[in-house]
Amino acid sequence: MELERAVNLAPSPFPPIGDYAFLSDCETVALVGPTGAVEWMCLPRVDSPSVFGAILDRDAGTFRLGPEGIGVPAARQHLPGTMVLETSWGTGKGWIIVRDVLLIGNWHHKNDRSHTHRRAPTDYDADHVLLRMVRCVNGEAQLLLDCEPKFDYGREPAQWKYPGDSYNVGTASNSDGTVNLTLTTDLRLGFEGSRATARHMMKEGEIVYCALSWSEHAPPRDQDEAYDRLVWTAHHWQHWLDRGKFPDHPWRTHLQRSALTLKGLTYAPTGALLAAATTSLPETPQGERNWDYRYSWIRDSTFMLWALLSLGFEWEANDFFYFIADVASGEEKLQVMYGLDGERRLDEQTLDHLEGYERARPVRVGNGAYSQEQHDVWGALLDSIWIHTRSRDSLDDRVWKMLSRQVEEAIEHWREPDRGIWEVRGEPKHFTSSKVFCWVACDRGSRLAELREDMERAQRWRDAADEIHADICEHGVDERGVFVQHYETDALDGSLLLAPLMRFLPPDDPRIRATVIAIADELTEHGLVLRYRTEETDDGLKGREGSFMICSFWLVSALCEIGELERGRSLCERLLGYASPLGLYAEEIDPLTGRHLGNFPQAFTHLALINAVLHVIRAEAGDGTHHRSWADGR
């Protein structure tokens, strides 16, 4: 224990996960460390190999722009309502401000096809440019630019060259020519091996810029154009956010930052939602619980649609729904997750040449869970269709055919064990939450069949739902009247907080109340909810893990459902206090230290936050015991 504590307290060259800033143009993303270094960026897509990968190995590529010799900024913030990062630096002799943004501009393909967009083109498009602008507000400061890309997850150093006569442009490409970088700046570049560098003493009032681009779309040609395009992008994000419907409440800013984060985790060409921006950030410090989350999970669909529709973002909800419909409409078996363009094979491999974040290994790319048997997928899909149909009051033939097949799959397989919602790599079990989702599939299917006036299917699916419901109530409840993780244990599981949210039983049912209270009292550490206790669950992995923020936010929603508003509000206020300095969340929080763990930022956490905050706000506005959730109207 003393050794473990010493290791945890030892200085780390890696910034805390929660200290990274998140940038997006809805086609790729960048994570910027507090030193001003871009430490994670994959090109040309977010699931491509990294170009800057220092978050996983300090020698895997980085791009810093900031004052020389100073690594701790005076302040960092997103410009309100935007994905523009502003970092302020005091140098002792002066002050500079750096603004970082992934540029978005007008729609590019006016006379040609994009060949990537499957959703309806909008008025805007990613520019495929990372822009960094610096302003000296007073005094003077020595500025350092240090751009060292390493392609293919750090395997291939860049080879820079000047494409013209000036020192203001440098280019570098990977060996197969699939990624071509152009660094454009009003600074004078020099090359040192794989590194492009520049130094400049900035004076009060001076502005400089640099732009890294990787497509046929031109970067800014000068400082004035750079500023105009930064402002255009900032206004784009603010205009997008203005379309939302946010309550006038002190927690409004948390909802807005979560909405922006979810938009940033959306892959615009197809509408897919990334589970997270990163791979292999550890759930356990220096442990093996490291996964690639740069894919789109079916189970996120219900929560995503409810969150987007609740906040008024119907276009994004529609795009995501039809991404799900695209991948689920074929004759092939429904998978747990898909690639951003609907790819089915996500073969997992380890990158043994990478050190891993704070020596957490292995580093994985791909995700072998795509081939697992997880029975929650049918219920998540059917709930998504139900939410989508209620928002439009229509159900087309393609969707009807798809949902019919998935309900039949749930009926055929619900009696079998599976890997569960948490994708355990131990032996399959009869997970209670998986059975609940199979019930959801049949229940929502029956309701949708009634809308289609297919009464034969409606009754048959209702009978199946009733059978599953009875089986869960017989085998999934312990002698205390508490829902358990699976049929062969008395262990608790955070996923069972979804039972009241899915309307499996009414919120005032004694078994629902007993389950919510048991999880709140017994499956928590320092008040934060665990997925499960690793010593009680065969998940096929070693070590402990932190508390799962989605489970803690689910507990807030469940407490509001059962009438425990004061307890739910108090927990929600505490959870919002765990947000990173820039309002972001990883997958887990260490209950003892408040440190963020796991991939970052995590879509599921922000989805659960929206659900929890709206539960509290709406319960406060009502009688304190109930509100309209995504489940109402079922």
Side-chain angles (χ1 to χ4, degrees):
M1 180 63 72
E2 291 302 322
L3 177 60
E4 181 176 292
R5 185 177 293 117
V7 170
N8 290 338
L9 292 176
S12 170
F14 294 86
I17 291 171
D19 282 358
Y20 283 97
F22 173 59
L23 305 177
S24 172
D25 62 9
C26 298
E27 290 196 26
T28 194
V29 303
L31 295 188
V32 186
T35 65
V38 177
E39 296 195 1
W40 181 248
M41 191 173 184
C42 301
L43 297 176
R45 297 192 335 185
V46 67
D47 59 344
S48 301
S50 65
V51 171
F52 303 118
I55 197 171
L56 295 177
D57 189 304
R58 304 316 281 172
D59 195 38
T62 186
F63 178 13
R64 183 175 187 266
L65 182 67
E68 187 173 32
I70 298 175
V72 179
R76 302 168 84 212
Q77 65 166 355
H78 285 110
L79 297 183
T82 77
M83 280 278 190
V84 180
L85 174 67
E86 181 178 88
T87 306
S88 300
W89 298 88
T91 69
K93 293 185 178 180
W95 287 79
I96 61 174
I97 295 175
V98 180
R99 288 180 173 174
D100 296 325
V101 61
L102 283 166
L103 291 178
I104 296 174
N106 290 308
W107 179 253
H108 294 295
H109 303 278
K110 296 180 180 179
N111 301 310
D112 65 339
R113 296 277 303 282
S114 81
H115 301 294
T116 58
H117 283 72
R118 296 212 307 267
R119 304 280 78 84
T122 61
D123 297 330
Y124 51 87
D125 196 6
D127 275 342
H128 308 126
V129 176
L130 171 65
L131 174 65
R132 317 192 75 178
M133 296 198 72
V134 189
R135 179 167 62 96
C136 185
V137 294
N138 65 50
E140 62 181 22
Q142 184 72 49
L143 182 70
L144 174 65
L145 180 154
D146 190 343
C147 183
E148 187 175 15
K150 291 197 175 178
F151 302 104
D152 193 20
Y153 297 111
R155 291 187 182 102
E156 184 184 346
Q159 300 297 320
W160 288 98
K161 63 182 180 180
Y162 298 110
D165 296 330
S166 78
Y167 287 96
N168 304 115
V169 181
T171 60
S173 302
N174 62 351
S175 57
D176 62 9
T178 55
V179 180
N180 300 289
L181 302 179
T182 299
L183 185 61
T184 306
T185 177
D186 46 10
L187 300 172
R188 289 180 291 277
L189 294 171
F191 305 139
E192 300 172 359
S194 61
R195 185 181 310 226
T197 65
R199 290 180 176 85
H200 176 64
M201 180 63 76
M202 295 195 69
K203 306 293 185 180
E204 184 171 332
E206 188 177 8
I207 298 175
V208 299
Y209 85 98
C210 64
L212 185 72
S213 56
W214 54 91
S215 76
E216 70 276 17
H217 307 308
R221 292 166 295 182
D222 54 38
Q223 181 189 120
D224 290 339
E225 183 184 346
Y227 178 76
D228 289 344
R229 289 171 69 172
L230 184 151
V231 171
W232 196 102
T233 303
H235 288 171
H236 158 77
W237 285 112
Q238 291 170 336
H239 292 325
W240 178 83
L241 199 62
D242 285 343
R243 285 180 33 225
K245 300 172 183 176
F246 298 95
D248 185 16
H249 189 277
W251 294 345
R252 173 189 179 101
T253 54
H254 291 279
L255 293 173
Q256 290 177 326
R257 182 49 54 186
S258 289
L260 285 164
T261 302
L262 292 173
K263 177 66 172 176
L265 289 170
T266 299
Y267 183 62
T270 64
L273 172 70
L274 287 160
T278 57
T279 180
S280 298
L281 295 185
E283 298 172 12
T284 303
Q286 301 177 17
E288 64 176 345
R289 298 171 183 267
N290 318 315
W291 315 108
D292 193 345
Y293 277 10
R294 297 172 297 162
Y295 306 113
S296 194
W297 265 252
I298 290 291
R299 78 166 53 93
D300 291 356
S301 57
T302 288
F303 306 97
M304 182 65 166
L305 289 174
W306 184 87
L308 290 173
L309 292 170
S310 294
L311 297 177
F313 296 107
E314 295 185 0
W315 295 348
E316 285 73 18
N318 189 67
D319 282 351
F320 182 60
F321 176 80
Y322 281 107
F323 168 77
I324 296 295
D326 286 348
V327 299
S329 291
E331 295 301 317
E332 297 163 298
K333 186 176 180 180
L334 187 65
Q335 293 185 180
V336 175
M337 70 187 83
Y338 294 87
L340 300 184
D341 202 28
E343 296 92 345
R344 296 181 61 86
R345 290 187 63 89
L346 307 174
D347 295 331
E348 186 175 298
Q349 58 178 306
T350 62
L351 302 181
D352 297 330
H353 66 286
L354 293 178
E355 176 187 5
Y357 178 87
E358 292 189 338
R359 302 190 302 281
R361 303 184 72 189
V363 173
R364 294 180 172 94
V365 293
N367 197 311
Y370 81 91
S371 61
Q372 284 188 354
E373 293 287 338
Q374 295 179 27
H375 294 171
D376 61 289
V377 292
W378 303 306
L381 179 63
L382 264 293
D383 211 38
S384 302
I385 297 171
W386 175 243
I387 293 170
H388 177 81
T389 301
R390 284 196 298 126
S391 71
R392 284 158 179 75
D393 202 23
S394 63
L395 182 62
D396 64 50
D397 288 340
R398 179 175 77 119
V399 174
W400 170 248
K401 180 180 178 181
M402 172 185 66
L403 78 86
S404 299
R405 190 162 63 86
Q406 302 307 331
V407 176
E408 296 295 345
E409 285 282 316
I411 293 172
E412 180 180 351
H413 296 289
W414 74 266
R415 296 179 181 84
E416 302 167 5
D418 74 325
R419 302 283 181 174
I421 189 173
W422 303 128
E423 299 171 357
V424 299
R425 301 199 175 193
E427 290 299 314
K429 300 289 183 183
H430 290 279
F431 287 101
T432 304
S433 62
S434 295
K435 310 290 187 189
V436 170
F437 272 97
C438 288
W439 170 84
V440 169
C442 297
D443 176 78
R444 308 313 186 249
S446 177
R447 295 174 187 270
L448 289 162
E450 290 176 2
L451 293 179
R452 291 277 296 196
E453 297 184 345
D454 188 334
M455 304 317 293
E456 184 276 329
R457 276 195 175 94
Q459 187 57 54
R460 183 161 58 84
W461 292 348
R462 171 56 51 202
D463 291 343
D466 291 343
E467 182 182 2
I468 298 170
H469 197 282
D471 188 80
I472 295 169
C473 291
E474 179 180 356
H475 301 290
V477 181
D478 67 12
E479 60 185 15
R480 300 186 298 167
V482 172
F483 286 101
V484 295
Q485 183 183 68
H486 60 80
Y487 284 7
E488 302 169 6
T489 186
D490 290 333
L492 298 172
D493 193 302
S495 65
L496 294 166
L497 292 166
L498 292 173
L501 307 183
M502 291 292 179
R503 296 294 185 261
F504 179 75
L505 286 169
D508 58 0
D509 186 283
R511 291 163 292 186
I512 291 294
R513 181 176 182 81
T515 301
V516 173
I517 297 301
I519 290 173
D521 292 344
E522 302 170 27
L523 194 60
T524 55
E525 289 189 0
H526 299 278
L528 302 182
V529 183
L530 307 175
R531 291 192 300 179
Y532 47 76
R533 295 199 179 275
T534 53
E535 64 270 20
E536 297 177 337
T537 301
D538 175 23
D539 62 8
L541 299 166
K542 300 176 183 177
R544 295 168 57 83
E545 58 185 20
S547 67
F548 261 60
M549 289 302 286
I550 52 174
C551 296
S552 293
F553 280 119
W554 286 346
L555 178 57
V556 171
S557 301
L559 287 168
C560 291
E561 289 282 349
I562 66 171
E564 295 285 343
L565 175 57
E566 290 301 322
R567 190 171 181 180
R569 183 199 293 117
S570 177
L571 176 59
C572 192
E573 187 171 28
R574 185 182 175 201
L575 297 177
L576 295 177
Y578 283 110
S580 79
L582 294 172
L584 304 173
Y585 289 86
E587 185 173 29
E588 301 182 19
I589 294 288
D590 183 317
L592 185 62
T593 64
R595 181 183 182 185
H596 288 245
L597 299 170
N599 285 309
F600 182 86
Q602 177 85 4
F604 218 167
T605 305
H606 286 276
L607 290 168
L609 179 154
I610 292 170
N611 188 297
V613 168
L614 291 181
H615 261 85
V616 173
I617 292 174
R618 293 173 180 176
E620 288 177 336
D623 62 3
T625 60
H626 187 59
H627 79 295
R628 181 172 179 79
S629 78
W630 84 70
D632 291 328
R634 289 172 175 163

